[in-house]
Amino acid sequence: MYDVIIAGGGAAGFYAAIQIAENNPKQKIAIFERGKTVLGKVKISGGGRCNVTHAEFNPQELINNYPRGKKELLGPFHTHSTGDIMQFFEERGVPLKIEEDGRIFPLSNSSQSIIDCFLNATEKYSIEVLRNNPIKLIEQSSEINEGWQVATKNKFYHCQKLLIATGSSPKMWDLLQKMGHSIIPPVPSLFTFNINDERIKGIQGLSTKAEVRVLPKKKYDSKISIQLKSAVRQESLLESEGPLLITHWGLSGPAILKLSAWGAAVLNELNYNFRIEINWLPEYSTMSLERLFMEIKDVEAKKTILKTKAVDIPRRLWNSLVKASGITPELRWADVSKESIRSLSEQLTRCTLKVEGKSTFKEEFVTAGGVDLKEINFKTFESKKLKNIYFAGEVINIDAITGGFNFQNAWTGAYIAAQAIVNTQQ
C-alpha cells in the first residue's frame, strides 16, 4: 500500500518522486522499473555526459524546439524551466556548465553525477525502487477510494495516486488504451539518414553548414528542359538549415536531426525512402552561383577549376562535386562551357540524394507519439479521463529536437505532476 506509485525508473520518474518526497516526506512512494537497471537514458545521453537541459531561458523561445507539444508546454515552462533545473542540481552538489552550443552538462562530464544525485535522494527519503517489476495491469483499487491497483508478475499494489513515466513503452500504451485513453501511433524521431552515393563516399567526418529539403515523390515532367529545371525550385515537404555531417552511412548533424524530428510522421509514411535536395551554399541560388562562376571564369582563366575552390566549402567536398559535375581535373576556367558551369552550380545548390532508410542517432532513441495531448490537463499533468493518474515524459505525445530539450520536458512534467499530487494530498 503506497501513497504514490510511479511507473518508470527514468528521468521523469525519479525527478517526480524526489519532488513529492521533499514537499511531503511522510508520503510512501515507490518507483516501479521493468528492467534490471534504472535511469538508462540518463546514463547514455550526450555520449555518457548527460545533456540535462538547454540554455534557453525564455519559455516563448524554448517551446520552438518541440515539434509536438509546443502549445501545451508554454504554461508549464513558465512554472518550471531551465533555470529551475540548474538550481535543482547545483543545490544538490552537481555543478553544471553551459557549452558553446547551449547544451548543459554536469561539470564532471559524467552522467553518473546525475544518477548518483537521484539515487542518493531516493535513499535519503526512503523512496522504494523496485527493479524487475513491469506493470502488467492497472485497475481501480478495491482498498482505496478513488485509488489504483497495479499488478506486476506476482503481486498487487495499491496507491492513491499513480504517475505514468514509462517513456516509449508499447505495453503501457496498450494498457492505457484499454482504460480509455487515445494513443497517437508512435513513430521514430531523431534519426540520421542512410545514403549510398558516390558524392559523399570517402569524405566521412566532414561537416559544413547547408540547407536540406525533403522532396515530394512526384517528379518533373520529362519534357521540361534542363534550363527550366535550373530556374524552377521544386516544392518541399520539409526543410531545415544548419550544420550537416557526412558519415560512413550517410548524413547526420543538426540539420538532419531537425528534419527527422519535425518530419517524424511524414518520413514514416514515406517508409524512410525519399529524396533530399541539399544546398551546400545556402547564401546562393543556382543562378546567382552561375553568375559568380562566369565572373571567376574571366578572373581566374588560367587556373584549373578543381584547384581553385571558388566558394567557401570544405576542399574534399568541392573536389567531389566538381568530379560529379563531369569536370576533369585538368579543365581550366578559360575552357569551361556554360553547360559545365550550370552542372557545377546545380551540384552545389541543388544536390539531390536518395535516402534509403534511417539509423538511430547515437544511442538516443526518441519517439513521436503517445497519449493524446487533448486528454491531459497541463496545469497538473493529470489525465482528463482517469482521476488520480498523472503523466510525465515521453509517454505522452511530446518530443523535441536534440540538445537537452527532451529531458527538459521530462523534468517540467514531473515537477508539475508532483506539485499537483502533493497539493491534493495535504
Side-chain angles (χ1 to χ4, degrees):
M1 195 80 73
Y2 294 98
D3 295 299
V4 183
I5 285 177
I6 294 170
F14 270 81
Y15 196 71
I18 294 163
Q19 294 291 343
I20 294 165
E22 287 186 345
N23 279 278
N24 190 347
K26 293 179 182 178
Q27 294 279 287
K28 191 178 182 190
I29 305 164
I31 297 172
F32 283 66
E33 168 54 44
R34 65 181 175 179
K36 293 178 184 177
T37 58
V38 294
L39 299 163
K41 265 199 175 179
V42 170
K43 181 80 174 170
I44 63 174
S45 160
R49 297 195 295 146
C50 190
N51 181 188
V52 291
T53 186
H54 200 93
E56 178 50 76
F57 298 93
N58 179 352
Q60 200 76 48
E61 294 297 325
L62 184 55
I63 59 171
N64 291 327
N65 298 286
Y66 295 83
R68 283 147 291 273
K70 174 179 176 177
K71 178 179 62 136
E72 289 80 4
L73 286 173
L74 182 58
F77 283 157
H78 276 289
T79 301
H80 195 75
S81 196
T82 309
D84 302 295
I85 300 308
M86 295 187 75
Q87 185 179 349
F88 174 88
F89 287 113
E90 297 274 355
E91 286 177 350
R92 286 156 186 79
V94 184
L96 304 177
K97 60 174 179 175
I98 300 173
E99 299 201 338
E100 263 187 51
D101 59 4
R103 292 184 300 164
I104 298 176
F105 292 91
L107 198 57
S108 66
N109 274 328
S110 172
S111 56
Q112 197 60 45
S113 301
I114 304 297
I115 293 169
D116 291 343
C117 172
F118 284 153
L119 293 178
N120 291 340
T122 54
E123 194 173 330
K124 176 182 176 181
Y125 294 112
S126 302
I127 297 165
E128 292 183 44
V129 181
L130 307 175
R131 297 170 176 84
N132 287 316
N133 264 287
I135 291 173
K136 305 284 190 182
L137 181 71
I138 302 171
E139 56 189 5
Q140 292 285 344
S141 173
S142 56
E143 305 286 324
I144 302 173
N145 183 39
E146 293 188 326
W148 294 95
Q149 173 181 274
V150 301
T152 61
K153 288 177 286 189
N154 49 20
K155 270 190 180 182
F156 288 95
Y157 301 85
H158 298 265
C159 63
Q160 182 66 56
K161 309 279 184 181
L162 176 62
L163 173 63
I164 311 289
T166 47
S168 305
S169 168
K171 289 182 179 177
M172 181 54 71
W173 284 327
D174 287 345
L175 281 181
L176 292 168
Q177 198 161 31
K178 286 171 187 170
M179 294 166 71
H181 265 293
S182 304
I183 305 298
I184 306 300
V187 295
S189 180
L190 284 190
F191 49 84
T192 61
F193 293 174
N194 294 349
I195 298 169
N196 183 15
D197 193 288
E198 286 298 322
R199 287 168 287 181
I200 58 171
K201 273 188 182 173
I203 56 173
Q204 58 270 9
L206 184 151
S207 180
T208 187
K209 188 179 178 185
E211 180 188 63
V212 187
R213 306 165 70 237
V214 175
L215 301 176
K217 279 197 168 180
K218 65 180 182 179
K219 297 179 180 178
Y220 280 108
D221 188 307
S222 58
K223 293 177 184 174
I224 298 178
S225 69
I226 293 174
Q227 275 188 309
L228 188 56
K229 281 189 184 181
S230 296
V232 177
R233 196 175 192 227
Q234 258 197 90
E235 62 183 83
S236 64
L237 295 173
L238 304 155
E239 51 188 81
S240 161
E241 189 174 324
L244 190 65
L245 175 67
I246 296 172
T247 67
H248 287 281
W249 62 89
L251 293 175
S252 184
I256 297 297
L257 295 171
K258 278 192 279 185
L259 277 183
S260 73
W262 289 96
V266 172
L267 301 182
N268 179 258
E269 283 175 20
L270 294 172
N271 199 28
Y272 309 106
N273 279 272
F274 53 91
R275 292 173 306 130
I276 58 172
E277 183 181 89
I278 302 174
N279 185 346
W280 300 101
L281 297 163
E283 64 272 27
Y284 288 98
S285 67
T286 307
M287 286 186 168
S288 66
L289 192 58
E290 279 185 47
R291 285 194 294 270
L292 174 68
F293 286 157
M294 291 303 288
E295 290 171 14
I296 292 172
K297 178 178 164 70
D298 293 332
V299 176
E300 306 283 5
K302 293 181 181 179
K303 292 186 178 178
T304 63
I305 294 166
L306 187 67
K307 290 183 178 176
T308 310
K309 194 173 83 75
V311 289
D312 187 21
I313 61 169
R315 165 66 69 181
R316 287 186 298 158
L317 180 59
W318 170 260
N319 292 350
S320 178
L321 296 178
V322 167
K323 181 183 175 184
S325 305
I327 293 170
T328 60
E330 304 80 22
L331 188 66
R332 298 181 308 160
W333 282 104
D335 305 319
V336 69
S337 67
K338 284 186 179 179
E339 288 71 23
S340 292
I341 282 181
R342 182 175 298 124
S343 177
L344 179 56
S345 301
E346 287 271 353
Q347 289 290 346
L348 285 159
T349 61
R350 298 183 59 187
C351 181
T352 303
L353 302 174
K354 191 176 181 187
V355 176
E356 297 177 293
K358 60 177 175 56
S359 294
T360 302
F361 174 58
K362 296 183 178 175
E363 294 175 8
E364 299 178 39
F365 184 77
V366 175
T367 299
V371 178
D372 194 328
L373 304 184
K374 294 194 290 288
E375 299 174 356
I376 299 164
N377 175 356
F378 281 91
K379 290 182 179 176
T380 60
F381 278 72
E382 184 178 11
S383 164
K384 289 180 180 177
K385 290 182 169 281
L386 304 164
K387 187 173 172 60
N388 291 331
I389 287 187
Y390 299 78
F391 300 105
E394 261 192 82
V395 70
I396 63 180
N397 185 28
I398 289 179
D399 64 286
I401 63 172
T402 185
F405 301 106
N406 282 296
F407 272 135
Q408 184 59 58
N409 166 50
W411 312 133
T412 295
Y415 175 85
I416 291 173
Q419 299 306 307
I421 287 168
V422 168
N423 291 339
T424 55
Q425 288 187 321
Q426 286 177 343

